[in-house]
Amino acid sequence: MLRSARFAAIAVLCTLTFSASLCHAQTQDRRVPSSQAELRLSYAPIVQRVQPAVVNVYAAKMVQNRNPLLDDPIFRRFFGVPGQQPEQMQRSLGSGVMVDASGLVVTNNHVIEGADQVKVSLADKREYEAEIVLKDSRTDLAVLRLKDTKEKFTTLDFANSDELLVGDVVLAIGNPFGVGQTVTHGIISALARTQVGITDYQFFIQTDAAINPGNSGGALVDMTGRLAGINTAIFSRSGGSQGIGFAIPANMVRVVVASAKSGGKAVKRPWLGARLQAVTPEIAETLGLKLPSGALVANVAPNSPAARAGLKLSDLIVAIDGQAIDDPNAFDYRFATRPLGGSAQIDVQRGGKAVKLTVALETAPDTDRDEIVLTARSPFQGARVANISPAVADELHLDAGAEGVVVTDLADDGTAASVGFQKGDIILAVNNEKITRTSDLDKASKTGTRVWRITLVRGGQQINVTLGG
């Protein structure tokens, strides 16, 4: 009934207000293809061109098959502690994209994280051992290189992901559930998704092209056959595709690959030297803004590029190089994808007036990091810690002026992870002894005391913790 009424309304409207040709365009019937050429319209030419550059990635690591009963002291007392527990091979499966003819492959970091062995299988079923050239947990990207080969491989060129539009048709290629290389198609559902919570740089392409487990690290390609992004995650309640997948934009992938090609073990990015915060509706009302958008400057480090450019506390960043900034995540992405060595133009609202600033694009100083892993029997066993340098503060999103010793990583099977330490915790004191350097914490962890009184900072708040030895 509703459908009939709708068509009747269109017919009346056409009679009264529109030309006959326009009415015919709105009410014309669907038609079958009128030629052999129309019948053969297909994505096959694009797929055939890009498929050889998409690979399968197999990662394996040995893990100790630990019986949880061994954690029970009563069980150990009555049954004794057996010798070394048997090890088990743990495998993971993902996809990757060949980005250099010499055998350079980009994939997701979570696909190969902790792997002892990595293999890459090409579309033609050939397999190669691969070495990990670079890992970047901040973007969840990793770069591999095929071993023992001098062959020239098919590659994908990078698209300019800033030119993508919602509604553009894209293809997702990968190895879902290990069934073999699979192609799905859809559109770009959204751009600049910043509330996904997967990586440090929250600026994802959202697509409804079917992406499933095993697609991680695979290619999202545009209709010219160029790499638009690296598929990295799905939103799902069932574990399968529900039409909401996320890809890392090609412009970010390009930065990571360039660092790997230059021989670096870490990705080099521009450093701003300022902490930014989101503009809430309440802040927007206070500042007299029509919309709660932009990135508000909450802290500026002395002698940083931001300080030298003249950026000040409470400045509102609204654009970088002419591209609008909706929130701090958008700024972080835009700034991180700028090439080092030049400068960026930042548009700022200051006291209701527009100000233009020029910020130098340079890396953060990383002197005196002195990063170590604590191995002594203590609550810190298994924690990787470092002295806070500007580079460390930038990586862990700490206040620009933060000082001391910070937890940069935690071993899954370490004591530090089990007692609740987190990445980014700043250790201030242990048993009333001030901790200013990693050597201080290393020494404190070897004291063998029965009670540990620890003072730390987490999320800007000081916490006092007491643990048994």
Side-chain angles (χ1 to χ4, degrees):
M1 184 67 183
L2 289 175
R3 184 178 180 186
S4 300
R6 176 176 177 272
F7 281 117
I10 291 175
V12 172
L13 188 62
C14 289
T15 303
L16 295 175
T17 60
F18 290 97
S19 66
S21 61
L22 183 56
C23 290
H24 177 71
Q26 289 187 335
T27 60
Q28 64 182 339
D29 294 331
R30 293 182 177 88
R31 64 179 179 83
V32 298
S34 59
S35 68
Q36 190 71 16
E38 288 186 358
L39 282 172
R40 294 180 60 83
L41 290 176
S42 170
Y43 298 122
I46 297 173
V47 174
Q48 290 169 0
R49 188 164 70 250
V50 305
Q51 233 173 358
V54 182
V55 302
N56 300 332
V57 178
Y58 303 93
K61 64 179 177 179
M62 297 299 297
V63 295
Q64 192 170 3
N65 190 15
R66 181 172 176 79
N67 189 330
L69 289 175
L70 294 177
D71 295 329
D72 186 343
I74 297 177
F75 181 91
R76 292 201 306 270
R77 179 180 176 184
F78 284 97
F79 296 97
V81 180
Q84 182 69 27
Q85 295 298 296
E87 291 185 325
Q88 183 179 1
M89 183 68 77
Q90 189 177 83
R91 303 179 188 276
S92 63
L93 169 68
S95 305
V97 179
M98 195 76 68
V99 290
D100 188 85
S102 65
L104 214 59
V105 173
V106 65
T107 185
N108 280 139
N109 182 58
H110 73 257
V111 171
I112 55 86
E113 183 64 27
D116 302 315
Q117 184 184 43
V118 180
K119 288 186 177 181
V120 170
S121 173
L122 306 186
D124 60 12
K125 308 302 182 184
R126 286 181 296 163
E127 285 192 358
Y128 294 89
E129 295 281 344
E131 62 177 336
I132 300 172
V133 178
L134 183 149
K135 296 191 299 180
D136 186 46
S137 60
R138 301 185 70 185
T139 57
D140 191 24
L141 291 172
V143 180
L144 315 174
R145 186 182 298 279
L146 304 192
K147 294 181 180 179
D148 304 323
T149 178
K150 295 183 179 179
E151 183 180 342
K152 296 297 182 182
F153 297 95
T154 303
T155 65
L156 287 188
D157 294 329
F158 290 105
N160 181 356
S161 51
D162 286 345
E163 295 178 351
L164 298 174
L165 297 174
V166 174
D168 284 351
V169 175
V170 286
L171 305 178
I173 308 177
N175 184 13
F177 298 110
V179 299
Q181 195 173 87
T182 302
V183 181
T184 57
H185 94 285
I187 63 169
I188 293 176
S189 306
L191 294 167
R193 285 297 193 213
T194 60
Q195 302 299 321
V196 181
I198 305 170
T199 67
D200 283 359
Y201 293 101
Q202 299 289 310
F203 202 83
F204 292 93
I205 300 167
Q206 182 182 326
T207 178
D208 67 348
I211 296 173
N212 288 287
N215 272 108
S216 290
L220 189 72
V221 300
D222 63 15
M223 289 297 98
T224 66
R226 295 180 300 169
L227 184 67
I230 293 293
N231 300 319
T232 191
I234 59 174
F235 179 86
S236 174
R237 291 188 172 91
S238 65
S241 174
Q242 292 185 320
I244 301 179
F246 300 100
I248 301 167
N251 287 0
M252 180 60 81
V253 181
R254 194 197 310 264
V255 171
V256 176
V257 171
S259 291
K261 286 183 176 181
S262 68
K265 294 298 181 182
V267 180
K268 295 181 178 180
R269 300 182 178 91
W271 170 54
L272 179 64
R275 182 167 60 86
L276 308 177
Q277 70 178 73
V279 179
T280 63
E282 292 76 18
I283 293 175
E285 184 177 357
T286 302
L287 297 177
L289 303 175
K290 294 181 179 179
L291 297 172
S293 64
L296 193 64
V297 178
N299 182 280
V300 179
N303 302 317
S304 65
R308 296 197 302 271
L311 199 65
K312 296 181 179 180
L313 188 68
S314 299
D315 279 352
L316 181 67
I317 299 175
V318 295
I320 176 171
D321 289 337
Q323 294 175 308
I325 297 299
D326 291 330
D327 56 32
N329 287 321
F331 179 85
D332 288 346
Y333 169 82
R334 297 291 185 197
F335 195 70
T337 53
R338 293 297 184 268
L340 288 166
S343 62
Q345 302 298 314
I346 295 179
D347 292 346
V348 169
Q349 291 289 335
R350 178 183 296 165
K353 296 181 179 180
V355 179
K356 290 186 178 294
L357 303 175
T358 301
V359 179
L361 298 171
E362 58 189 51
T363 58
D366 196 19
T367 56
D368 199 26
R369 177 188 286 245
D370 194 22
E371 195 166 14
I372 60 173
V373 177
L374 301 174
T375 58
R377 183 177 177 180
S378 73
F380 303 103
Q381 186 272 324
R384 181 182 293 273
V385 295
N387 298 326
I388 300 177
S389 65
V392 172
D394 186 50
E395 290 169 15
L396 299 178
H397 300 288
L398 306 176
D399 279 344
E403 297 180 347
V405 175
V406 64
V407 177
T408 60
D409 201 6
L410 294 160
D412 292 338
D413 57 353
T415 305
S418 65
V419 300
F421 282 107
Q422 297 179 12
K423 185 177 179 180
D425 285 349
I426 301 173
I427 311 301
L428 299 181
V430 176
N431 292 332
N432 299 319
E433 293 291 330
K434 188 176 180 180
I435 302 298
T436 59
R437 303 184 57 78
T438 55
S439 57
D440 298 335
L441 187 55
D442 188 36
K443 181 180 178 181
S445 70
K446 296 175 180 177
T447 57
T449 182
R450 296 183 62 85
V451 178
W452 299 83
R453 295 181 177 86
I454 302 165
T455 304
L456 59 89
V457 172
R458 176 181 296 169
Q461 294 189 346
Q462 184 170 308
I463 303 172
N464 295 308
V465 180
T466 302
L467 300 170

